[in-house]
Amino acid sequence: INIDLDPGADLQLDLTQRLPWDDGSVSGIYSEHFIEHVSQADAIFLLCECRRILKPGGTIRIATPDLQHLLADYADDRIHPDWEKFGLDWTANRCERFNMAMRWWGHQWIYDAEELVRLGEM
C-alpha cells in the first residue's frame, strides 16, 4: 500500500497521527525519504506506531538521506553524484550544498544510522 498525503496514493494518511492498523497486524514497512520531513518528535511517534502495528519478527526499512555521507561530502568538498544527476551541480561551494541538503525539500531532521537505531530502540 502506497501511503502519502498527496492524491494518487493508495491511501492518504497523516503519518504523524495514529496508524489505522491493529496491533501486530503488519508484516513489513518500507519508508522512502519521508522520516526526514517531520520533526524528531513526530518521527519518534511514527516509529512507535510502526512498532505497535508490526507483527513479531516484522521488518521496517527506512531510506533517508544519511548525515554521515553529507558530512563526508562536505569534508572532502565533493559533489555527490546525485547532485549532478538532478542538475544541482551548479552550487557555489560545499557550504551551500550542505545547507541545501539539510534544508531543501522540507527536510526537518537528518539522520545517521546511529540516530535511527537509537530512536528505533526507544
Side-chain angles (χ1 to χ4, degrees):
I1 299 172
N2 179 28
I3 300 170
D4 204 319
L5 279 176
D6 293 327
D10 298 328
L11 189 57
Q12 292 178 313
L13 290 178
D14 179 349
L15 296 178
T16 64
Q17 303 297 313
R18 184 174 168 85
L19 299 176
W21 290 277
D22 293 332
D23 295 2
S25 64
V26 175
S27 298
I29 299 169
Y30 177 70
S31 173
E32 183 174 3
H33 293 279
F34 172 75
I35 200 166
E36 69 272 13
H37 293 274
V38 297
S39 70
Q40 184 191 37
D42 284 339
I44 292 168
F45 176 81
L46 175 60
L47 291 172
C48 288
E49 279 295 285
C50 290
R51 180 175 296 220
R52 178 186 65 77
I53 67 171
L54 275 174
K55 291 179 180 178
T59 302
I60 182 169
R61 292 185 181 186
I62 299 172
T64 185
D66 186 338
L67 179 59
Q68 185 173 357
H69 287 236
L70 294 173
L71 289 169
D73 288 347
Y74 177 84
D76 295 340
D77 196 13
R78 67 177 179 234
I79 297 176
H80 191 279
D82 284 348
W83 287 84
E84 293 177 5
K85 183 170 90 176
F86 294 111
L88 296 170
D89 54 341
W90 51 263
T91 55
N93 56 52
R94 63 188 177 166
C95 179
E96 185 175 38
R97 287 190 299 275
F98 186 77
N99 275 283
M100 288 171 63
M102 297 292 285
R103 303 191 192 299
W104 274 29
W105 308 288
H107 291 169
Q108 292 191 35
W109 193 271
I110 304 296
Y111 298 86
D112 60 10
E114 179 183 23
E115 177 69 349
L116 276 175
V117 168
R118 182 182 79 84
L119 297 185
E121 291 175 341
M122 291 176 79

